[in-house]
Amino acid sequence: MVSVNPYFISDLLSPITGLADDDEAVEKYRDIDTSVDNHYREIIRLEIKTYYDCLSNENKEKVKGALNYYLSTSEIDFERVFESCLPPFDPPKDARNFFIWVWEELFEGENYKITNKAEYVINSDVNEPNRPS
C-alpha cells in the first residue's frame, strides 16, 4: 500500500503561499500570461523546484506519491488547492495543468498516471514535514 496525504500537494506551493498580500510579489508576477505554460514553468523551476530540492528524501517521496495519486484521480479540486495558497498570480485556465507542469518539472520523463488506484490509501494526518531552513 502507498499512503498519500493531500497536505503535500499544498505544501509544495509554500514558496508562493500568501504572496497575494505582498505588493512586491504581485508586481513581480504581474505579467503572467495565464495562457502560456512557460510562464508558469519558469516559476515552478525557480521557486517550487528549489523548495522541493531542499526537502528530505522521505518528504520528496511523500510529495511525489501525493502528486502521482491526485493527478491520476479526480479526488482533489486543484483550483481550490491553488487558490487557498493565495499565490501572487492567477492559476491557469485549468488549475490541474499547473500541477501537471509541476510533475513534469520535478520528475522529467516520468508518467504520473497510476494503473491501480486500489494500491493507494489516503492518510489525512497532518504531520507537517520538516521544512528546509
Side-chain angles (χ1 to χ4, degrees):
M1 281 294 181
V2 178
S3 177
V4 296
N5 189 322
Y7 166 81
F8 288 96
I9 300 290
S10 57
D11 181 65
L12 196 52
L13 301 183
S14 290
I16 58 173
T17 295
L19 294 181
D21 293 331
D22 182 331
D23 292 338
E24 234 176 81
V26 170
E27 182 62 27
K28 176 181 175 181
Y29 296 111
R30 183 175 50 87
D31 295 329
I32 294 286
D33 183 345
T34 59
S35 66
V36 180
D37 69 323
N38 283 334
H39 289 184
Y40 291 105
R41 287 178 182 272
E42 182 177 350
I43 294 167
I44 292 166
R45 283 189 296 272
L46 293 174
E47 304 293 342
I48 294 172
K49 185 172 182 343
T50 300
Y51 175 75
Y52 174 83
D53 288 343
C54 292
L55 295 175
S56 69
N57 288 336
E58 177 184 358
N59 287 333
K60 285 179 182 177
E61 285 303 311
K62 290 177 181 180
V63 165
K64 186 175 185 178
L67 268 175
N68 189 221
Y69 178 80
Y70 288 108
L71 285 172
S72 298
T73 66
S74 58
E75 296 186 26
I76 198 168
D77 180 347
F78 285 107
E79 185 167 355
R80 183 174 180 195
V81 171
F82 188 93
E83 295 287 356
S84 71
C85 290
L86 300 172
F89 49 86
D90 291 330
K93 291 187 187 345
D94 181 352
R96 183 175 180 274
N97 286 338
F98 183 83
F99 293 90
I100 290 173
W101 300 327
V102 168
W103 176 273
E104 291 172 351
E105 293 298 327
L106 296 182
F107 313 111
E108 187 176 342
E110 292 185 44
N111 189 342
Y112 64 80
K113 294 180 180 156
I114 60 174
T115 55
N116 188 358
K117 183 179 165 186
E119 292 177 358
Y120 291 75
V121 62
I122 297 173
N123 172 6
S124 295
D125 288 342
V126 182
N127 293 324
E128 293 190 21
N130 297 327
R131 294 180 179 270
S133 343

